[in-house]
Every structure is written in structure tokens, then in C-alpha cells.
Amino acid sequence: MKTIVQKINNLTIGFQSQKGEQISILKNISTSINQGETVGIVGESGSGKSTLALAMMGYVKHGLFTISGECMFHSNNLLEMKNKELENIRGRKIAMIPQNAGQSLTPNLKIGYQIDEALRLHTDLNQAERDGKISELLNKVRLPSPETMAQRYPHELSGGQQQRVAVAMALAGSPELLLLDEPTTGLDVTTQAHVLELLNLIAKDTGTSMVYVSHDLGAIAQVSDRVIVMYSGEIVLDGPVRSILKNPIHPYTYGLLKSIPKLSLPGLPNSMSGSQPQPGSIKKGCSFYERCEFADDDCKVNSPSLDFIEDLNTSVRCFKHNELLNLNKLDSHNVKSIENRILKNEILDLSNVSISYAKQKFLDQLLNKINDTNPTVKDINININKGETLALVGESGSGKSTILKSIAGLLKTKDGNIKFEKNKTLSNDLKQRDPSFLRAIQLIFQNPDESLNPNHTVEEIVSQPLRLYFGLKGKELKDKIIEVLDKVRLGEFYLTRYPRQLSGGEKQRVAVARAFAAKPDIILCDEVTSALDVSVQAAVLNLLQELKEDFGTTYIFVSHDLAVVRAISDRVAVLYQGRLCEIGPSNYVYKFPSHPYTEVLLGAVLEPNPDIKPKLVAEDIVEEKPPENGCSFQGRCPRILGDICKNEVPPWQTVENGNSIRCHIKIEDLKNQQITN
Amino acid sequence: MIKKKEKQKNTFEKIYEVIKTMASKPSGLIGLIILIFHVILAITSPLYVPYDYKAIDPTLMLTPPSSEFWFGTDSLGRDVFTRTILGGRTALTVTFFGSLIALLWGGSLGIFCGLVGGKIDDIVMRIIDAFLSIPWILAMLLIVSLLGTTTLVLIPALGFFYGKGIVRVARAATHDVIAKDFIVSARARGHSNMSIIWNEILPNVRDAIMVEGAMRWSWMLLGFSSLSFLGFGVSPPTPDWGLMISNARGLMSFAYWAVLAPIFGLSSLIIGINLTADAFAKALGIDRSTKAPV
Ligand SMILES: Nc1ncnc2c1ncn2[C@@H]1O[C@H](COP(=O)(O)OP(=O)(O)OP(=O)(O)O)[C@@H](O)[C@H]1O
Ligand code: SF4
Ligand code: SF4
Ligand SMILES: [Mg+2]
């Protein structure tokens, strides 16, 4: 019999609405965490996963209160304990690593000092013992040379290293239970894979129980023994990781897994319609009813209970779980293959584009020239054909957004030029660009919260380009707005809504509508799905693809997510430190031979499958600046050849399928090396 | 998904909504009542003043309050009640228009600085800081002694001095929105600067600027009354609280009424404006950082 560390019984947490109603955001949660077990809690934003994680350390956010139930840590109910008693548990027996913990280290205190402080607070060790413990902790989180590391300041560490320090601090009190809330969200793919591996090692080393909260099934799959799926404040599925991810017997989980783009499957994943209901809006019936493809009338009036299925060791909240049990396998699900009518017409041509953020000296400013021998982005040569989707991929800071901004005219190029439709050179200065070129190129941003004016209604937002470019007014304008909104599947009643009254997916649809209202030839998409929940992401990707088929638009699609890029793009350009590494048709870029950097990126992708482990081939160092000479990837390249990589810029080599790789290693050798290991 | 349909509110409905929220808290309600009372009084008082405000009667010097003279009379035998209910008119008018001017120039310059940023912003803010370091009362005295104390001088001069704070607030609010992607998006579409200011920036900074303007109003009122008190505001025999306090303060020990009535008038108006501005800020969801003068 396993020891239970924490047991939650019938926990309901809610708030008082303005009308005085009690609205629950966690409903009747019952589960337990065993010793040494890692439990993943997954759900979309607003499903209550963070509220549950906080309750697990006896914390209920301001404005919320416990309606019923208890949260037992050994034999104490955390939710009834006094603050004084909780202080003795938090940090010592239960520790938490919040989102962005790495970035929130105190900037002006040395790493060693910060860990020492955690030790002083959470242990009874004396100074000498603590000094030893600091090294031990830094070792435990696999940071190189602990002594020198302890002397550094947070800004002298990379994002991944900062996150490791945060883990070390959480381990200071040797907790029995470690709660992690989105610990890798916001980190680069490679860094993320390294941090997850570290967590696995720690779980094995220390036997600490962990609760890992995330919206990312890929990350959950890599660390969890057991997975809890939450929807609308309820547990809908709870069982061993393999059973949940390989044979999900709840329609929500099933749909969620189908809507995740996967590296192994080209084409767009199926999307799930609708969005999660607002808390308190479901009075009876199953909370997933509106979005469920298996629903029948029974589900509308009766609420399913969480039933334990002995054979699978899984609890599920669905009347129809038997049907799902016999359903076809997930990996044979139908994805829509994309077929773009790519014309051989060149629509955009970047030649030798370099972009610098260097501050201009006064004299240079007068002469309007930029002096920078090592610009942020350098030597970009890309042709884009009409109707094509070109993806730019690379880690944070690789210059993806920078290139988009230059194409949009928001940033001056240092060298090179950008031509539109073969011979029309786009001016470097936005003010001098021809209005028709401005109309032809539209932007969609990552975060619709930032890209939509919070004080404008949907009608005003979509009317902007229509008025500016086509001078529409009155009824004509309104009709056109309705037509455009209809294209993005938003009804007329959205006209008077403000962005704050829309869900994430709806907001992004409005942003898409605004871009399409200009009748653009090219749309620049900057991480357009990364702020969205997985189930919504697939819907937005599908929408973009349909619109493209209708209008023949060309997309330049920036993303750090290789699986998303695989799903939507025709061609992929891989960037490292503002330099191109590889460019080619997506089917071929995702196959060997690849540029060593592409290989690293592909290896770090987290698939929502516990049996596909990421391959970590390079260190997760982050470089501040691109090297002055030689190959841009020399600092991290696992296949580096030596001086030639450091001194000479590698040549472009083209594989027969049209894929170009920029590396000193001969294509043949690259292929042999990559296929053998 | 949000099922509730929300009608697009026009400006009047929005104003109504804000006022309703303001009045829903006791402090906001009291503030509004005091302010509205003062405004109505200022507009209508000439219609029902019991006596002529400038009628001097030496025989009635410093009469204590009675049924005939509710607030007594002052050292020249003028009726204090008459002068008190008339005494806020100039102050309210001057400071109201002064605040509007402060809002206009402070708001525009602040938004401009926030928008252009860089060197120009630096230089302008330096100049503003330099102005801020001059004690305003000295500068005001200089202006008034050069140009006289007519309302046409006082309104723009006060408006100028009290606009400096608004520049800061408007600039900071503009800085906050300027980096947002919806501004970048408007730029990339090719909207003119004017259109970006009007459509994208203004709706997002308006609330903060208006709250600051309301705050400045009560500060300005205090400033104006101080000027009058020093004899640089309105000229006698025009009734004005500041002036009345100044004239009567020496006699306070035996004719308290002559000084208490204008003090009550002035302080209740300032409190009223303050409570209203506070409630206004809360109704718009803005954190008020500027401290009230009282
Ligand atoms: N305004 C700026 N001033 C100076 N340097 C900048 C500026 N904006 C970006 N950079 C630098 O330019 C490089 C490229 O940045 P860019 O934003 O294009 O990266 P990205 O690939 O879009 O990254 P992410 O995935 O994080 O969005 C980074 O090193 C970044 O620090
Ligand atoms: S109970 Fe019905 S509506 Fe709910 S998930 Fe199961 S099938 Fe769908
Ligand atoms: S050129 Fe050298 S450093 Fe660059 S990717 Fe190839 S092997 Fe690695
Ligand atoms: Mg970016």
C-alpha cells in the first residue's frame, strides 16, 4: 500500500457573484497524491487547475472561499489551519514553483545568498551546514561548478539556469510535496526539455511527490505518472499517464489530443468547436455538453459522476466512456491535408537583408547610415511565392519578429532590400511606402489582448482598415464589417462587444478579421496561436487555412512551435541568432539530413506521448550575441568540426529535394551521422 | 463564451453609468451633492441674494448673526450671507475654465511627448521640470503684477501652472499604451499620427487625464483663493471667499462669523470636488496617486 501524502475530499471553492449567488470554480474535487508520484494536472485556461494547485498548499486566492470539502496533508486539513501553522508547512513540507519563478529571482542578490535565505527560512541548519547544502542543491539541479555559480547574479544566468535555481530554492526545505505551476511555459523548446528532464531526475533521486500543472500535454506526458484532466472546474479524467494519453475515454481529452498538431503527422489537426463555459453558467447536465461530439439528450439534463473503471485504473466523468474505449486509435485520426495553390509568381523577395538594433551615433544619424559589423539579423535571402505559407522558426531572440517588422516597414533594414511583386522595392520608411503596399501587407500578433484596442468595439476595430483603405462609410461600411466577421465565423451580435467580453479564440478571430478586411496579399503572422489554448489553436489554424484557400493569401508564419509549423506551412526557414540555417519544403526540413540546429530543435519537441522522449543533443545555453565570424551556431553545435566553423561562414548546400542547409559538414556525412544516432 | 449581449453604450449612457457608480458610495454621493449644490448656488445666487453685496452701512458694522443678517455683517457693514453665497462665483468660474485649459494643453503636450519619445520628449520634460521647480505662487505674483488681475489673465495663467501635472500623467499613460501591439498595428496599416492619437491613444488615456484634471481643479481652487487672500485675485468689492477671509481674519476673536462663513464655503467646495474626483477615479477604475490638497 502506497503512502498518501495528500488527500482532497469533495473540495468546492467559489466566489460570491454580484447578485449574491455562490459560483463554484472548483466542483467536488476528490483525489489523492501518493508518495513519490508525479501527478500532472492539465486543463485549459479557466479550468481551475491553478486554484486547485494553490489549495493543495492551503492557499485560497483573495475573493475566493472554500464552500465545502477539505484538503488533507497527512492528518491536517490545510484549509482550516491557522496562518502560523501553515508557515511551518509551506516551503518546508510543501513547496511551490510558480510560473516564471526563474525570472522572478531578486536581481541584485547573488544566487548563493538567495538559496541561503531559503535554507534559513525553511530549515534549522547552521551556517556551515547551510554552505554545504547550497553546493549540494546546485549539484542536484545539475548546475555546473556550484561554487562559482553561487557567486553569480541572476542576470548572469540563462533562462533555463534561472529556472534551475528556482527549483533548487524550492528543494531547500526538502519538501515532501512539490507543486509546479506551468514551470516551463515561456521557456524555449530546448530549455523546456532540459528542465523537464531535470524534474524527472529529481523525482527519482529524492522521492518527492510532485504536482505538475500545465496546459501543455506534451510537457505533462514527459513527467507524469498520473494525469488529472480538468474541465470547467471538475475532474473529468484521472488515471495513469499511458491510459489517459493513448486511450482517452473522455470526449474532451479525446478531442484535445486530436487537436494537437504532431510532428509525425503533416496537415492540420481537427479542431474542437466552442469554448469552455463561464463559471456558474451550467446549471444542469454535463459541462462539456455544448462541445461534445458524443453527446445525446441524456447528457443535457443529467450530470455524469466521476466513475472508477477498475480495468484501466482510471476515473472518468462521462456516460459514454464505453464507446470511447472501443474507438479507433488516436494516431490514425484524420488530419486535413493542406493543399495550397502556389503560383510560381514571386510576391516577396528579401535579398541580403540585415537589420540592426545598434544605437546610431549622431553623425551616422545625420548621414542616415547604420554602423554595425555584427547586426541582429544578417544576410537573409528568401523568395516567397504567391499563395505560399512560409514559416520562420527559431528560439526566442532568433530574429523572427525582427524580420516581420522590417517587412511591415516598422523597422529599417541596415542593408539589402525587400521587393514586392518582383520589381516594386518597398521603402525602408513607413511614411514613404505607397498606401497600396501598406494595404497589401497586414500583421497579426501573438497576443490579441495587446493587439486589440480595449476601448474599441469589434465594429470599430474591424472598421479601421475598411475606412482607411477603401473609404467606406455608413451602411456600406457596416455591411462589409458583417461580411468580414462572418468569414471568421463571428455573428452580427459581436459587433458591439468589447475585447474584454470575448474569449481568447474570439479575440484572435477579430484580429484575423481586421487583417483580412484590408484584402491583403500577404499576412504576417507573429506567433498567432501561442497565446491560445490547444483546443482553440487548432480552430484558429483551420480558419487561417480556409481563408487562405478562399483568398489566395500568402502567409509568413512565425512560430517557435515546430509541430504547429509542420501543420500549416509549405516551406520552413530555420533561424539561429538572426542567421538562416536551413530553408526548404516542410516535408523535407523535418526529415534528415537536417542542419545541426534543426536537429536540436526537432529533438526537443515534446510530443503528447509518454513513449516518445525528447532527444537532448545540445546544452541549453543562451547566447547573448551572434558570433562575429564563422557559423552562427558554433557556440552550441554538437557536431562542430573545429576551427573552420569558427572562422568561415558555412556555405549553402542543396539537397536534391530542394532543401538548403548552411553547414560545413558535407550533406552525405550529415545524413550518415544523423541516421546512425 | 459570454452569452449576455451588451448594447453599445453611447456617450450619454456612459456618463450616466459613471455618475450612477459614483453616487453608489456614500462618499461619492456626498461629494456630488456638495459640488452640485455649489454649482447651482453659483449660477442662481444673484437671483435671490437678500442684500446688495456692496452696500456699505457703517451703522451695521460687525453685527452678530441675527434673523435679519443670518451670518452677521462684516467690518464695513455688508451682509456676510449675501457675500458668502456670491463669493464662490468668481472662484468657480476662473478655476473651471482654468482647469479646462490645463487639461487641454497638458493633455495634448503629454500625449505628444509620450508618442514621439526620444530626444524631444527628454527636452520637453526637462523644461517642464524646470518650471515645476519655481514656486508657482512667485511666478503667479509676477504675472499678475505685470498683467493685472483680470479673469482673462488669471484663467490662462492658472491653467498654465496647473497643467504641468497633467502633462506628466498624460505622458505616462501614453507611454503605457504606445508599446501595445494595437498601436503598432495601426502604424503598420499606415494611419496618420493624428488618427492614431485620436482613435487609438485618446480613448485609452482619457480617463486618467480627466481624473487628474478633476484633482487639479481642487488644487487650483485653493491656489486661486490664496491669491485672493494675498490680494492678487479678484479686486474688491467683488465678493470672494479668499478675499473675505483675508479681510476678516484680524477680527476673528470678536467677529468670528465674518471669517467662518467664507472658510466654510471654500472648504466645503474643495472637499466636495475632492470626494467627487475620488469617486470619479474609482468609477473609472483608476488608481489615484495624486494627493488631495486637504
Ligand atoms: N527594440 C530592441 N532593441 C534592441 N534589441 C532588440 C530589440 N528588439 C529585439 N531585440 C533583440 O533582437 C534579437 C531578435 O529579437 P526578435 O524579437 O526578433 O526575436 P524573436 O525570434 O521574435 O523571439 P521571440 O520568439 O522571443 O519572439 C534579440 O536578441 C533581441 O534581444
Ligand atoms: S456525458 Fe455526454 S456530453 Fe458529457 S462528455 Fe460524456 S458524452 Fe459528452
Ligand atoms: S558549420 Fe559547423 S558549427 Fe555550424 S552547424 Fe555546421 S558543423 Fe555546426
Ligand atoms: Mg517574437
Side-chain angles (χ1 to χ4, degrees), chain A residues 56-299:
Chain A
M56 286 179 169
M57 54 176 223
Y59 183 75
V60 179
K61 254 190 272 178
H62 183 75
L64 298 179
F65 58 94
T66 313
I67 295 173
S68 67
E70 52 185 17
C71 186
M72 305 297 292
F73 182 68
H74 296 296
S75 55
N76 305 311
N77 182 1
L78 293 176
L79 296 171
E80 278 179 356
M81 279 168 95
K82 302 247 160 35
N83 271 334
K84 263 261 150 7
E85 300 167 318
L86 279 172
E87 271 167 27
N88 284 327
I89 291 187
R90 288 186 194 149
R92 287 184 182 224
K93 300 206 167 110
I94 306 180
M96 176 150 204
I97 302 181
Q99 194 168 346
N100 295 332
Q103 282 110 292
S104 45
L105 294 171
T106 319
N108 56 350
L109 295 177
K110 286 181 182 155
I111 297 301
Y113 183 81
Q114 300 196 37
I115 298 179
D116 190 47
E117 215 168 43
L119 285 168
R120 231 175 319 159
L121 203 60
H122 301 314
T123 65
D124 308 314
L125 304 176
N126 63 34
Q127 183 66 51
E129 288 169 324
R130 287 205 304 268
D131 284 342
K133 187 83 180 177
I134 293 174
S135 298
E136 186 193 318
L137 284 169
L138 288 170
N139 253 326
K140 209 177 243 168
V141 295
R142 312 300 194 272
L143 279 169
S145 50
E147 278 73 27
T148 52
M149 200 52 88
Q151 294 306 314
R152 293 219 203 151
Y153 290 97
H155 69 90
E156 295 171 311
L157 307 183
S158 72
Q161 289 176 326
Q162 289 173 353
Q163 201 68 1
R164 281 165 200 260
V165 173
V167 175
M169 283 169 68
L171 293 176
S174 315
E176 286 175 61
L177 178 63
L178 187 57
L179 306 170
L180 304 110
D181 193 354
E182 304 271 9
T184 62
T185 310
L187 298 179
D188 268 320
V189 268
T190 45
T191 315
Q192 186 178 14
H194 279 275
V195 173
L196 292 178
E197 191 200 43
L198 171 71
L199 293 176
N200 276 332
L201 287 173
I202 287 174
K204 223 180 276 160
D205 285 0
T206 60
T208 310
S209 310
M210 295 193 196
V211 173
Y212 188 103
V213 178
S214 178
H215 69 284
D216 183 352
L217 276 170
I220 292 270
Q222 302 312 320
V223 290
S224 317
D225 304 313
R226 214 177 90 213
V227 176
I228 294 175
V229 184
M230 301 210 34
Y231 187 79
S232 191
E234 288 173 323
I235 293 180
V236 293
L237 199 56
D238 177 350
V241 63
R242 278 187 180 69
S243 138
I244 303 278
L245 296 179
K246 297 202 146 171
N247 195 359
I249 52 171
H250 190 279
Y252 171 64
T253 318
Y254 180 75
L256 200 60
L257 280 161
K258 281 214 302 184
S259 62
I260 300 177
K262 290 166 205 74
L263 265 192
S264 46
L265 298 168
L268 287 169
N270 288 353
S271 64
M272 208 192 287
S273 62
S275 55
Q276 199 172 220
Q278 292 288 95
S281 63
I282 300 283
K283 297 279 186 266
K284 61 176 186 182
C286 173
S287 55
F288 190 57
Y289 174 75
E290 295 230 332
R291 301 173 76 185
C292 183
E293 46 176 324
F294 298 87
D296 60 21
D297 292 345
D298 195 24
C299 311

Side-chain angles (χ1 to χ4, degrees), chain A residues 63 79 150 172 233 247 286 301 357 366 405 432 481 529 622:
Chain A
L79 296 171
N247 195 359
C286 173
V301 283
Y357 281 111
L366 282 185
K405 281 192 190 137
Q432 315 210 324
I481 296 171
T529 60
V622 173

